[in-house]
């Protein structure tokens, strides 16, 4: 077994609480499949047979996944607030090999081997996936006219190949200037600084990185702490025990620092002492083991997707956008399933758009039009209803004469006769009165109406 796969599925979805307050993030339906299905399907297509899934008990109980892989669930207590690095540390006894870590909110058709081959070819400490940041094009319910929060940019430095990851910093962590260490520029005098890239939260990591995390408990997040630490460590020397040992106290301090240095966890590979040409069966073709011999032992790489789909479903806007793209994604993945489930009962099929998805056991009445929308399972949609650009979850009832546009309707909601809903989010179990009219609103929880 070359890699073990780990999917992080315990997060609460803090940037989309209007949705996740009633539906756990890994269970949010995207194209009538739980969000967690997408990273698992990516791994299954790549040939993985087993996956460790870090989640919470309530989520595991509700999961019903269609997969041939063996899923090893590790449940984190609800009262434990764990970052992604904490979660990986929590399962360290299960990790026996190098590891591939994914977030449950990743939806992509990337060729996974492109990330893995970077890791193999360059004997990398880290290889990761990035893609150009995607701005949602659709109106986000409840946010029309509201000023968008300013996202802090990431500055990503790569070499001429665009694959070696040389520098990483977030705008929030910088002063007025972007400072590049001389040690980086000495080895890579031409560095390209890029912004507008999204970290897909897909990482190949050496086993010794997990060992390092076990000892270094100050690191809680993979994305914001561990990955930048590894990138910086490429161009710094191992912590030395030979300098400044003036007394026993300082000696002990130096030893403690060295014990937490990533270099102290890297096992020596005697084969690296041999000439590079004798070292690897693929070296003459793809790898550059001279780099392994002459540069630092910490090496970070990135695969930047230039085409294809890649979303992190971590905001309401991106949740809506991902649902819009699902028919195209399923086609790209070769999943040639009918978009309208065979058990759905539809009176006028000609009024259902060719890019709409309708789930099992849903009933659609006469003269009802459904365009550019996703309808879940066991819904009842009565006569003369018009639905455009909507996401309707499971067991929703929409009565006669309703008009819904650009909205998200969560599980078990009831929309009574003649309601007119535009650019709204209607929470689970909500009931809208007859002829209700709502525009750009969020109706969730116990509050009958909450306008953003």
């Amino acid at each position: 077994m070359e890699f073990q796969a780990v999917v992080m599925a315990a997060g609460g979805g803090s940037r989309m609480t209007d949705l996740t307050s009633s539906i756990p993030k890994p269970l949010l339906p995207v194209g009538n499949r739980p969000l967690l299905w997408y990273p698992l399907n990516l791994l299954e297509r790549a040939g993985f047979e087993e996956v460790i899934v870090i989640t919470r008990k309530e989520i595991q109980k509700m999961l019903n996944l269609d997969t041939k892989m063996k899923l090893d669930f590790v449940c984190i207590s609800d009262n434990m607030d764990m970052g992604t690095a904490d979660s990986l540390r929590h399962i360290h006894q299960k990790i026996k090999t190098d590891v591939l870590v994914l977030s449950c909110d990743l939806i992509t058709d990337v060729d996974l081997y492109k990330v893995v081959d970077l890791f193999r070819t360059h004997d990398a400490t880290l290889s990761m996936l990035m893609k150009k940041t995607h701005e949602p094009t659709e109106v986000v319910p409840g946010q029309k006219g509201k000023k968008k929060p300013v996202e802090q940019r990431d500055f990503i430095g790569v070499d001429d190949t665009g694959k070696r990851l040389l520098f990483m910093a977030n705008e929030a962590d910088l002063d007025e200037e972007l400072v590049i260490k001389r040690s980086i520029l000495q080895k890579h005098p031409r560095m390209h600084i890029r912004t507008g890239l999204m970290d897909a939260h897909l990482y190949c990591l050496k086993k010794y990185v997990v060992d390092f995390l076990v000892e270094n408990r100050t690191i809680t997040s993979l994305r914001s702490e561990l990955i930048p630490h590894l990138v910086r460590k490429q161009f710094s020397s191992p912590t030395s025990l030979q300098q400044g040992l003036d007394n026993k106290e300082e000696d002990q301090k130096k030893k403690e620092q060295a014990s937490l240095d990533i270099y102290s966890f890297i096992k020596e590979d005697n084969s690296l002492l041999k000439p590079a040409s004798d070292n690897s069966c693929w070296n003459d073709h793809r790898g550059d083991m001279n780099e392994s011999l002459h540069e630092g032992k910490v090496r970070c790489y990135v695969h930047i997707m230039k085409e294809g789909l890649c979303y992190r479903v971590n905001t309401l806007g991106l949740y809506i956008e991902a649902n819009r793209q699902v028919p195209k994604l399923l086609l790209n993945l070769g999943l040639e399933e009918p978009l309208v489930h065979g058990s759905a009962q539809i009176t006028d099929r000609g009024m259902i758009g060719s890019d709409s998805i309708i789930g099992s056991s849903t009933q659609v009445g006469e003269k009802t039009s459904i365009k550019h929308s996703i309808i879940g399972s066991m819904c009842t949609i009565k006569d003369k209803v018009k639905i455009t650009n909507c996401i309707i979850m499971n067991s929703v009832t929409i009565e006669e004469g309703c008009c819904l546009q650009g909205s998200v309707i969560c599980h078990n909601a009831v929309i009574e006769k003649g309601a007119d809903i535009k650019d709204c989010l209607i929470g689970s179990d909500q009931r809208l009165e007859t002829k209700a009219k709502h525009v750009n609103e969020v109706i969730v929880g116990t509050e009958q109406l909450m306008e953003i």
Side-chain angles (χ1 to χ4, degrees), residues 255-312:
K255 286 182 179 178
E256 289 172 1
Q257 288 176 346
S259 70
L260 293 179
D261 187 51
I262 187 70
Y263 284 96
S264 66
F265 292 86
I266 301 175
K267 293 180 174 57
E268 291 289 343
D269 183 355
N270 292 331
S271 64
L272 287 180
L273 301 177
K274 299 177 184 179
S277 60
D278 298 333
N279 193 44
S280 169
C281 62
W282 67 72
N283 183 57
D284 292 335
H285 306 289
R286 295 187 293 172
D288 181 5
M289 296 305 291
N290 284 324
E291 179 184 41
S292 300
L293 289 166
H294 300 302
E295 289 202 2
K297 294 177 183 176
V298 177
R299 290 181 292 279
C300 301
Y301 286 82
V302 59
H303 172 61
I304 301 173
M305 284 182 71
K306 293 179 180 174
E307 54 186 26
L309 295 174
C310 186
Y311 292 94
R312 283 208 56 225

Side-chain angles (χ1 to χ4, degrees), residues 222-365:
L222 297 180
R223 167 66 185 90
S224 61
E225 295 174 88
L226 177 67
I227 304 305
H229 178 79
L230 294 177
V231 173
R232 286 193 302 270
K233 273 293 180 179
Q234 296 178 99
F235 305 103
S236 63
S237 301
T239 302
S240 173
L241 293 177
Q242 304 304 317
Q243 299 173 355
L245 302 184
D246 297 334
N247 53 51
K248 288 185 178 180
E249 184 178 339
E250 190 167 346
D251 189 8
Q252 181 61 32
K253 186 177 179 181
K254 288 280 187 180
K255 286 182 179 178
E256 289 172 1
Q257 288 176 346
S259 70
L260 293 179
D261 187 51
I262 187 70
Y263 284 96
S264 66
F265 292 86
I266 301 175
K267 293 180 174 57
E268 291 289 343
D269 183 355
N270 292 331
S271 64
L272 287 180
L273 301 177
K274 299 177 184 179
S277 60
D278 298 333
N279 193 44
S280 169
C281 62
W282 67 72
N283 183 57
D284 292 335
H285 306 289
R286 295 187 293 172
D288 181 5
M289 296 305 291
N290 284 324
E291 179 184 41
S292 300
L293 289 166
H294 300 302
E295 289 202 2
K297 294 177 183 176
V298 177
R299 290 181 292 279
C300 301
Y301 286 82
V302 59
H303 172 61
I304 301 173
M305 284 182 71
K306 293 179 180 174
E307 54 186 26
L309 295 174
C310 186
Y311 292 94
R312 283 208 56 225
V313 183
N314 56 7
T315 66
L316 177 56
L318 287 169
Y319 173 73
I320 293 168
E321 189 73 22
N323 272 282
R324 297 272 185 271
Q325 298 295 333
V326 158
K328 179 180 176 182
L329 175 69
L330 297 179
L331 188 64
N332 289 354
L333 299 182
L335 298 173
E336 298 178 4
E337 302 174 0
L339 297 181
V340 177
H341 196 276
S343 64
Q345 299 177 29
I346 300 171
T347 306
D348 297 324
R349 284 193 173 256
M351 299 187 73
I352 307 301
S354 60
D355 58 353
S356 293
I357 296 176
I358 299 182
S360 62
S361 302
T362 284
Q363 300 178 18
V364 180

Side-chain angles (χ1 to χ4, degrees), residues 43-58:
L43 292 169
E44 188 169 359
R45 286 185 284 115
F48 282 86
E49 297 178 353
E50 295 185 24
V51 182
I52 299 170
V53 180
I54 303 174
T55 189
R56 300 189 185 273
K57 202 71 179 175
E58 62 160 333

Side-chain angles (χ1 to χ4, degrees), residues 14 74 78 92 106 139 164 170-171 175 188 202 207 235 243 246 257 263 265 274 284 313-314 360 429 433 438:
S14 59
V74 177
D78 288 339
H92 76 272
L106 175 61
V139 173
R164 181 72 187 264
N170 185 268
E171 194 171 6
D175 294 326
H188 298 275
L202 186 155
K207 164 70 164 60
F235 305 103
Q243 299 173 355
D246 297 334
Q257 288 176 346
Y263 284 96
F265 292 86
K274 299 177 184 179
D284 292 335
V313 183
N314 56 7
S360 62
D429 301 303
E433 297 177 353
H438 297 287

Side-chain angles (χ1 to χ4, degrees), residues 30-31 134 137-141 309 311 317-329 355-357 371-374 388-392 405-408 423:
V30 177
H134 185 88
T137 55
E138 303 286 344
V139 173
V140 178
L309 295 174
Y311 292 94
L318 287 169
Y319 173 73
I320 293 168
E321 189 73 22
N323 272 282
R324 297 272 185 271
Q325 298 295 333
V326 158
K328 179 180 176 182
L329 175 69
D355 58 353
S356 293
I357 296 176
K371 307 293 183 187
H372 314 299
S373 297
I374 294 178
T388 308
N389 285 334
C390 289
I391 301 166
I392 313 291
Q405 182 177 339
S407 296
V408 178
D423 299 331

Side-chain angles (χ1 to χ4, degrees), residues 138-148 316 405 422-424 439-442 451-452:
E138 303 286 344
V139 173
V140 178
Q143 294 183 16
K144 189 174 182 181
K146 183 183 176 185
K147 191 173 181 180
K148 293 174 71 174
L316 177 56
Q405 182 177 339
K422 183 177 180 181
D423 299 331
C424 290
V439 178
N440 193 38
E441 295 174 3
V442 174
E451 184 166 345
I452 299 295

Side-chain angles (χ1 to χ4, degrees), residues 58-279:
E58 62 160 333
I59 297 172
Q60 183 189 359
K61 288 179 180 177
M62 298 168 69
L63 277 172
N64 182 19
L65 293 165
D66 178 21
T67 178
K68 295 176 182 176
M69 295 186 298
K70 178 185 175 183
L71 303 182
D72 179 6
F73 286 100
V74 177
C75 293
I76 294 173
S77 172
D78 288 339
N79 57 18
M80 294 175 72
D81 185 18
M82 283 191 173
T84 47
D86 296 320
S87 297
L88 195 55
R89 189 183 294 117
H90 183 69
I91 62 162
H92 76 272
Q93 291 180 329
K94 290 179 176 283
I95 303 300
K96 309 298 182 187
T97 68
D98 297 337
V99 63
L100 175 62
V101 182
L102 300 84
S103 173
C104 76
D105 62 12
L106 175 61
I107 297 180
T108 181
D109 58 1
V110 69
D111 291 324
L112 195 54
Y113 77 86
K114 291 183 178 178
V115 183
V116 172
D117 271 7
L118 276 178
F119 188 79
R120 290 170 174 157
T121 302
H122 300 282
D123 192 28
T125 305
L126 158 77
S127 66
M128 61 186 292
L129 175 66
M130 287 187 173
K131 192 176 191 296
K132 188 176 179 180
T133 302
H134 185 88
E135 289 294 331
T137 55
E138 303 286 344
V139 173
V140 178
Q143 294 183 16
K144 189 174 182 181
K146 183 183 176 185
K147 191 173 181 180
K148 293 174 71 174
V150 177
E151 294 280 345
Q152 299 285 2
R153 292 177 298 170
D154 283 322
F155 292 90
I156 306 298
V158 294
D159 68 358
D160 278 339
T161 70
K163 296 177 180 179
R164 181 72 187 264
L165 182 57
L166 305 174
F167 179 83
M168 176 184 282
N170 185 268
E171 194 171 6
D173 301 325
L174 300 173
D175 294 326
E176 293 182 358
E177 295 179 335
L178 188 66
V179 179
I180 310 294
K181 289 172 65 175
R182 183 179 298 173
S183 58
I184 301 176
L185 296 175
Q186 284 174 338
K187 294 179 180 178
H188 298 275
R190 286 174 57 88
M191 179 167 64
H192 304 265
I193 299 290
R194 298 191 58 175
T195 59
L197 292 175
M198 174 198 74
D199 178 354
H201 283 219
L202 186 155
Y203 311 117
C204 290
L205 295 166
K206 286 286 193 188
K207 164 70 164 60
Y208 62 72
V209 176
V210 180
D211 298 336
F212 165 72
L213 278 179
V214 172
E215 297 300 324
N216 194 335
R217 293 183 172 270
T218 60
I219 294 177
T220 62
S221 164
L222 297 180
R223 167 66 185 90
S224 61
E225 295 174 88
L226 177 67
I227 304 305
H229 178 79
L230 294 177
V231 173
R232 286 193 302 270
K233 273 293 180 179
Q234 296 178 99
F235 305 103
S236 63
S237 301
T239 302
S240 173
L241 293 177
Q242 304 304 317
Q243 299 173 355
L245 302 184
D246 297 334
N247 53 51
K248 288 185 178 180
E249 184 178 339
E250 190 167 346
D251 189 8
Q252 181 61 32
K253 186 177 179 181
K254 288 280 187 180
K255 286 182 179 178
E256 289 172 1
Q257 288 176 346
S259 70
L260 293 179
D261 187 51
I262 187 70
Y263 284 96
S264 66
F265 292 86
I266 301 175
K267 293 180 174 57
E268 291 289 343
D269 183 355
N270 292 331
S271 64
L272 287 180
L273 301 177
K274 299 177 184 179
S277 60
D278 298 333
N279 193 44

